[in-house]
Amino acid sequence: MAVNSKSPFAIAIESFIADIKRNEDIRSPFYREVITQAVSERAGDNQGLRCAEQLSTFIADLERKQKRNSKTLWVTEKLRPLLAGLNEYVQACDVMIQAAPSAAVLLYGGARLVLHLGQNFYNCFDTVLGIMEEIGNLLKCYDLFAKAYKSSADLQSLLVESYKNIITFWQKASKLLSRKPYKTLLTNIVKPLYAEWQKCRDGLQRDRDRIQILAQATEADIRRQRDEERVEQKRKNMKEEIVKWIKACEDDSMLDTRTDVRTNMEIHHGHSCEWLFRHPDFRTWIEANKTTSVWYNAPPGAGKTILTSAVVRHLQDEGHKTAAFFYSFNNPVKKKPMTALRCLALQLLSQSTSIPTKVAQLFEDDVEHHCFKLNDPRVAVEVIEALVKQLSRIHIFIDGLDECEDREQLFICFGRLLNAKTYGIVKWFFSSRPDRDIRTHMQKHNVKTIEAPMDSLISDVESYLRDQMDERLDHHCEKCIKYWTDASEGNFLWITLMLRIMEGEGLTCEEEIEEELNKFPKGLTGCYLRSLAQIARRPEKHQQLAQRIFTMIVGSAQPLRLSELAHALAASASGPDDFSAKRVPKLDLIEELCSNLIIFDRTSKGSEADPLLKIAHKSILDFFLQDPGVLDVPENLHQYFISSDIACLELGRSSLNYLKYARYHQKQDISNLLDLPDHAFLKHAATFWYWYLSYAKPSAKLFEDILDFVKSPAFWSCIAVQSKVAPHLFARYEQSDHGCYSLEATGPTKKESEDRVNYAVPLPMWLDDYKPGGARVVQAFLDFVKEWHIVLNTYPLALDQCIMDAEWNEVMPGRDEWLSKRAERYALCPPEAATQNFEQLAIKDLQVNGSNPDALAVVLFGLQRTARAGIIPQWLHLQINSEGVAPSVGSRPRAPIPIADAKGYELFNPKFEWGLPCSALDPASLRVYELQFDGNNPTGFAPETSGRYLSNLEKHDWRILSRHPSELCDNKSRDQCAIAFHCIAQYLDSTDNHVPSDSGFGSATSSDQEFDQDDDSGSDCSSVSGVEQEAHHCMLFLHGGAPVYAFWKGHSENSEVVCAFHPVEPLAVWSHTAQELCVTNMASGRTDLAVLPEPADIKLSSAATVRREFHFSASGEDLSYLLYMTTETETGMQQTVSVSSFRFSIDERDGCLLQRNHPTATITHECSNSIQNPLILSFWNSEYIYVALPPLSCNAKIVRLRLPHGIYSEESASDSFETLRDPIFFPYSTQYRNAGLKVLGEERGQDVLALTLDADIASERGTDQPTMRQAPSLVTWSIAGRDGWRAWHPQADSQSEELKAGKDRCKMLRGTFVDADKRFNVPIRSGLDWTKKAFLSCS
């Protein structure tokens, strides 16, 4: 039988309709036209829509008819509110409409009938229309409130009343309008119609007013609910963030103690541990109505952890709140004090109804100081203190204090918690061995001690032993049970090991079982010796294998899998040169030899086929590490005892032998090998070989073996594995003021932080003690890591592009197999120059050798210091060919400049020849001098800078931000017609308001032609307050005549200005602010301003950094404008490159004119790295502009754009951008070595992309003696012509590969191999002084 599911609302409507039908005259139009149709309608989903369409159609027909027959032309407009109001009302009543289908027919049909009848009364029709319009307006209130309060019973009641009023009006109006027009006076129609309408209107207005009152009250309640929901959501969000902060990326399994309790309770036997609940001290502890603490101690193997879990479960079953943590020596995370604090904090937070204000403050303070992980134990203790204060009663359990790796910190933290003030009751329960230091700590804090009564332990052991002997040995001798229960001395571990050993003896009868039981030793040590004695009865080879098994398992840096152990055992010192599966020990034999001392974990991180091997109990680890000489141990068992250095040597040797296998002496895709069974030990050996050998006793033989490995191709296979699975081995570690180290993929290249920066160098720490070979290898490998660490820890597959020069390759041979054939690197320094005292040595020119197209010609310029005479300028001309780098004919002056303090000077010569006019720039003061000659011998300096400009410079400490020499478009001229220096200077005194008084541009010799400029208006380098100081900027032009200066103010280094020199006229164009082009006439020293049209779609106001660069065509008629800017995003930096092209002309009357002659081309690219100077590298030739986008210290994004030619085109110019098909990687030093980019054409359809790097020269600490740390370098890549480039794809190229991967930087550096719950160890060396070294242990 169907159930009537209609709402009271629908029932009320149906009842009203039934009353109308019953009372209405069947002869009336309302009955015939409306009620009859309503009765015949059936329910449907589109009931209201169909009726609304019928009314709309009728109104449209009515308007057409009125247009023909009368002046009333606005029927539709007048009735639009009615249609809208009815629709809104019907939507509010959709439940009613569905349940009572006739309701919509009456609503719309009644309106249609009234309009139809109203046509018969010409003078009255406008009145009808006005009433209809007002009805629609009155119904609008339902649209405002019905959706929000649809479920309100009050609203439903109001909907029913409104419905009755409307239908009643339709009924009354249709009755009045159905009279014969010729029999009825107009007044006899209008007055009663108005009377009926007044009743209806009063009712609708009352409904509307009540709805508004209802809405206001309901809105207030809903607003309150929303506020509460908002507060609750904010609290939830805050709680989630605090949970993340407390967890600090630790794995959930390490912090969820429910699993520990469940696992321990599965081991828990019957009614054991129940004696504790009857113990008077325990009852006093649990029943006391105040904060109390108790310490349960028992010897190893007495079941302390099981008992603690039993107490936790017992209290939970009784409904008490608990928090627990179980220390574990076998788990690198669970043996840390900080993990216990995290775990307790999370459990307490989950049981708190709100977040304590103190916890929120601690969290916000850490976040404010960019500490997104709770790493400070003191803060963690404060968090627990605050959470405990919110709980009326809590029971906190800490098990295994003796298994904590840092007891000192443990005592400090829990000592403070025991003394903390609480508002409720806190019950502390500790358990551990009865170690002296723990006992002293407990006594200090008045913690009650509970020691297990021996008879209680014996009783529990007896019950356990009885069941186990019956189940596992099928032995029921009460005498034996009694004897071995007493012999156990209450030690569950001893009983368990005894049963395992006996179970494996293959005993055949009761008599043999009793005989073996009588011989079984007492105590854990005796039990362990019994296991070793069983192995000692095996063949000699089995004993040797067992000895190596125990050594490797005890000494391993992290637990080994069975397959890893088997392969490590196969890589013996006397093994073959390559892997052989025949040498791998049988896995079943390994499991047999491990006896009962090693657990084969097939459930957690292990698998059924490849279990994880763990020491069964902490006492076993302690047993193996003992000196057998102090124990009563048979001589034949001494071999199984282990010392740390022997274990490290054993594992280090096996790792080294494994890595030296012949199969690793060739380049291959390491990714395909890592998970193959035949390479099971590869990841472990590569990740830990240096660590094992660092702690092994060094020897000459071991050193030679390591040196042989490091110089072999197999070493680079090892590097490839390390880079793939343990990238932290090539990371940066920056030391803070507090002595801590932060792990970084890379960092800023600012030289002022060099003394804090260290690099991971995965080589044995003592290797450099063997001089000179070991020291040279360590230093060379550190240089390699410094230069390529970002590629190594971020792009492991690009190892073949990490190229060094020939001199380095002599120290570290073996890389030929691993090097890319498309990349080359050259050290551009003759052998004799490397030892000379150069203050600077820079690459000034790079060209294809005109006489030998297969060779390159390089010009270097340097300043060599002498002890007495000053500095000697050196022009070095080199040639690079297939045989390497060699000097070529060139000028090499030996006459010194007679100024002793010319350190750091910049010399400018229009040609690379000695004896021509030469200018010298002091970068610190921006003073310019002319170098005077007597023949070819310099005689001294004469100042070129006028006194007026010296007054502008003297109060500031200047430095050169960038330098840009002129270069003709054919790229073949060795002349430098001019050079521009972009210099900046911070205020030396924050109260000093001394700025250049003219604040403008001018020459040192033409002060009468200057003009003033307000730099703060319209500049994107406007001054700011706060940490970032306003700086002076200066553009300084040297061109063979008087120097030209231009000054402005802006932020320190957020902008770069690159000028272009006109190829014909003595003009330089540049810009430092939006919409403004500066045109400097270097002959007159005058600078004029012109309007610079910026790209239309670029918002410079949001830019974090800006670079404006210009380039003239060969004729000087066309000017290209490169705009580069970055904006900060949530994930990194958004880079925008825009290239505009203008027709450039100079008019005597109008000055500089720019006319756009081609559309602007724009691309965007987002990267995750920070941006620093130089912002980009660029190179122009007559056909293309080439741009290298950041990160310039790693995987720079190389793009090029064909320069526009011909007539103006409206087509998008952005489609002309191209990028390299195969990425290239820049060395890390690119950012601080005045890098240059150039493309050299070659024959045979190939181009050469060249990166030039000036010498890296620094003074020895404590002296002024310059040291060349890196010679000038040239790195080249062969590009396969057109095939080497592809079109820029906005979607594919919009983000860097690192951003697309979306990896957490910390997790990425940690790698995939070192256990996430384990600290990793890494040797580091100072980036400034390679002899400074340390071993870090990182979480």
Side-chain angles (χ1 to χ4, degrees), residues 599-885:
I599 294 175
F600 282 64
D601 183 359
R602 292 182 167 87
T603 58
S604 58
K605 294 184 179 178
S607 64
E608 186 64 33
D610 195 14
L612 198 67
L613 309 186
K614 299 179 180 178
I615 298 172
H617 194 265
K618 186 176 187 299
S619 58
I620 298 174
L621 177 63
D622 297 338
F623 168 75
F624 274 123
L625 294 175
Q626 291 183 89
D627 181 2
V630 302
L631 300 174
D632 186 15
V633 178
E635 186 70 28
N636 66 324
L637 300 184
H638 282 209
Q639 62 178 318
Y640 301 109
F641 288 83
I642 301 160
S643 66
S644 296
D645 58 339
I646 295 299
C648 286
L649 181 62
E650 178 75 30
L651 282 159
R653 278 286 189 186
S654 290
S655 300
L656 196 61
N657 292 336
Y658 198 86
L659 295 171
K660 290 170 66 175
Y661 279 156
R663 59 181 177 174
Y664 300 129
H665 280 250
Q666 55 188 352
K667 181 181 178 180
Q668 51 198 313
D669 188 351
I670 291 297
S671 301
N672 294 333
L673 305 181
L674 294 178
D675 296 320
L676 295 179
D678 281 352
H679 301 266
F681 192 51
L682 177 59
K683 288 188 284 190
H684 189 103
T687 304
F688 296 115
W689 76 272
Y690 67 89
W691 185 83
Y692 292 132
L693 294 181
S694 289
Y695 288 101
K697 185 178 180 180
S699 66
K701 177 64 169 64
L702 183 59
F703 168 72
E704 291 299 330
D705 289 344
I706 294 173
L707 206 61
D708 178 63
F709 168 61
V710 169
K711 294 187 175 184
S712 71
F715 179 69
W716 297 101
S717 294
C718 175
I719 299 298
V721 176
Q722 292 172 330
S723 181
K724 184 73 175 176
V725 304
H728 62 269
L729 295 178
F730 304 106
R732 279 171 41 126
Y733 296 82
E734 185 164 353
Q735 188 174 14
S736 68
D737 293 332
H738 305 292
C740 299
Y741 290 83
S742 60
L743 173 66
E744 303 170 335
T746 186
T749 54
K750 303 296 184 186
K751 294 194 175 184
E752 52 265 28
S753 64
E754 278 186 326
D755 56 342
R756 295 176 176 228
V757 174
N758 302 270
Y759 296 89
V761 182
L763 292 173
M765 292 290 284
W766 47 262
L767 197 64
D768 55 320
D769 295 338
Y770 286 79
K771 296 180 173 61
R776 291 184 66 199
V777 165
V778 170
Q779 189 172 6
F781 192 56
L782 173 60
D783 290 341
F784 174 78
V785 173
K786 286 170 60 178
E787 193 75 327
W788 296 105
H789 63 277
I790 311 179
V791 177
L792 294 172
N793 62 46
T794 310
Y795 301 94
L797 297 181
L799 175 62
D800 62 340
Q801 291 206 44
C802 300
I803 53 176
M804 301 294 280
D805 56 47
E807 184 178 351
W808 185 93
N809 290 334
E810 292 178 2
V811 182
M812 301 284 289
R815 285 207 69 202
D816 290 346
E817 287 288 332
W818 282 92
L819 290 179
S820 168
K821 304 303 181 186
R822 67 189 295 230
E824 298 285 348
R825 183 166 181 163
Y826 307 94
L828 303 180
C829 190
E832 68 274 11
T835 59
Q836 295 175 351
N837 299 327
F838 277 95
E839 283 187 354
Q840 57 180 266
L841 189 57
I843 301 174
K844 294 298 184 182
D845 192 48
L846 172 67
Q847 303 288 346
V848 175
N849 193 321
S851 59
N852 183 4
D854 293 329
L856 299 177
V858 185
V859 177
L860 292 86
F861 175 77
L863 295 177
Q864 179 189 5
R865 292 187 66 186
T866 62
R868 297 179 181 178
I871 59 174
I872 300 177
Q874 296 282 11
W875 275 266
L876 306 176
H877 295 255
L878 305 176
Q879 179 174 288
I880 303 173
N881 52 33
S882 58
E883 298 179 358
V885 180

Side-chain angles (χ1 to χ4, degrees), residues 1105-1304:
T1105 59
V1106 177
R1107 174 183 171 114
R1108 294 181 174 87
E1109 180 174 347
F1110 298 89
H1111 178 77
F1112 277 109
S1113 63
S1115 64
E1117 296 177 354
D1118 295 314
L1119 178 67
S1120 296
Y1121 169 36
L1122 167 64
L1123 174 64
Y1124 169 84
M1125 61 173 281
T1126 65
T1127 53
E1128 295 183 5
T1129 65
E1130 293 183 358
T1131 53
M1133 297 296 291
Q1134 179 79 31
Q1135 306 177 70
T1136 301
V1137 178
S1138 176
V1139 181
S1140 304
S1141 182
F1142 305 97
R1143 177 69 65 180
F1144 178 86
S1145 62
I1146 294 290
D1147 184 88
E1148 292 184 1
R1149 181 171 59 87
D1150 298 328
C1152 173
L1153 297 176
L1154 294 181
Q1155 182 180 2
R1156 190 182 299 275
N1157 55 9
H1158 289 282
T1160 298
T1162 303
I1163 58 171
T1164 60
H1165 178 71
E1166 185 180 9
C1167 69
S1168 60
N1169 304 68
S1170 59
I1171 307 296
Q1172 58 192 66
N1173 298 95
L1175 301 178
I1176 60 173
L1177 299 180
S1178 62
F1179 172 73
W1180 305 73
N1181 61 24
S1182 58
E1183 190 174 2
Y1184 290 98
I1185 172 180
Y1186 296 82
V1187 181
L1189 299 177
L1192 300 181
S1193 54
C1194 184
N1195 59 320
K1197 188 76 171 178
I1198 311 296
V1199 299
R1200 74 174 183 179
L1201 173 70
R1202 183 183 293 276
L1203 296 177
H1205 297 282
I1207 61 174
Y1208 186 90
S1209 171
E1210 294 291 347
E1211 297 181 1
S1212 172
S1214 300
D1215 296 338
S1216 301
F1217 271 105
E1218 295 178 316
T1219 187
L1220 283 178
R1221 191 175 300 278
D1222 298 317
I1224 63 174
F1225 294 83
F1226 285 2
Y1228 173 69
S1229 62
T1230 300
Q1231 294 256 201
Y1232 60 87
R1233 292 178 62 185
N1234 191 31
L1237 186 70
K1238 198 160 190 177
V1239 177
L1240 304 171
E1242 265 194 357
E1243 297 179 355
R1244 299 179 296 275
Q1246 285 196 335
D1247 293 331
V1248 174
L1249 184 68
L1251 176 69
T1252 61
L1253 304 172
D1254 289 353
D1256 179 18
I1257 298 175
S1259 298
E1260 290 288 345
R1261 182 165 291 190
T1263 70
D1264 289 334
Q1265 188 68 22
T1267 300
M1268 188 181 297
R1269 298 191 294 191
Q1270 295 188 76
S1273 299
L1274 172 64
V1275 187
T1276 64
W1277 294 267
S1278 297
I1279 309 298
R1282 294 290 306 171
D1283 294 336
W1285 300 86
R1286 62 169 176 81
W1288 178 271
H1289 301 302
Q1291 290 185 341
D1293 296 315
S1294 62
Q1295 284 189 321
S1296 66
E1297 295 301 321
E1298 189 176 2
L1299 271 183
K1300 290 178 185 177
K1303 294 181 180 178
D1304 178 84

Side-chain angles (χ1 to χ4, degrees), residues 170-217:
W170 294 158
Q171 184 186 24
K172 299 292 184 180
S174 63
K175 187 175 182 179
L176 287 171
L177 295 171
S178 63
R179 299 176 184 179
K180 299 296 184 181
Y182 58 87
K183 295 181 178 181
T184 306
L185 294 174
L186 180 62
T187 55
N188 292 336
I189 291 294
V190 173
K191 287 184 177 179
L193 183 64
Y194 263 118
E196 294 297 335
W197 163 235
Q198 190 63 41
K199 294 178 185 178
C200 177
R201 180 168 57 187
D202 292 344
L204 291 176
Q205 285 179 338
R206 283 195 305 271
D207 294 341
R208 183 185 63 183
D209 294 340
R210 290 168 62 191
I211 284 178
Q212 290 176 340
I213 294 172
L214 169 67
Q216 291 172 359

Side-chain angles (χ1 to χ4, degrees), residues 334-399:
K334 288 188 176 182
K335 66 182 181 181
K336 296 189 291 187
M338 193 63 197
T339 307
L341 298 175
R342 294 188 203 281
C343 188
L344 293 179
L346 290 171
Q347 293 176 72
L348 294 172
L349 181 61
S350 68
Q351 300 181 70
S352 299
T353 55
S354 61
I355 301 170
T357 303
K358 181 64 174 177
V359 174
Q361 289 173 348
L362 293 169
F363 164 70
E364 290 168 354
D365 184 63
D366 260 15
V367 171
E368 185 178 345
H369 291 83
H370 310 292
C371 298
F372 301 101
K373 299 176 184 177
L374 177 56
N375 289 320
D376 189 338
R378 294 166 296 186
V379 177
V381 168
E382 291 189 63
V383 170
I384 294 174
E385 287 178 352
L387 290 168
V388 164
K389 289 179 180 178
Q390 290 207 154
L391 300 173
S392 59
R393 183 180 178 114
I394 185 67
H395 305 77
I396 302 178
F397 296 84
I398 310 295
D399 174 68

Side-chain angles (χ1 to χ4, degrees), residues 986 1023-1031 1050-1054 1104:
Q986 303 288 353
S1023 61
V1024 295
S1025 61
V1027 176
E1028 188 175 12
Q1029 276 191 320
E1030 191 180 56
H1051 301 330
S1052 298
E1053 297 183 28
N1054 67 346

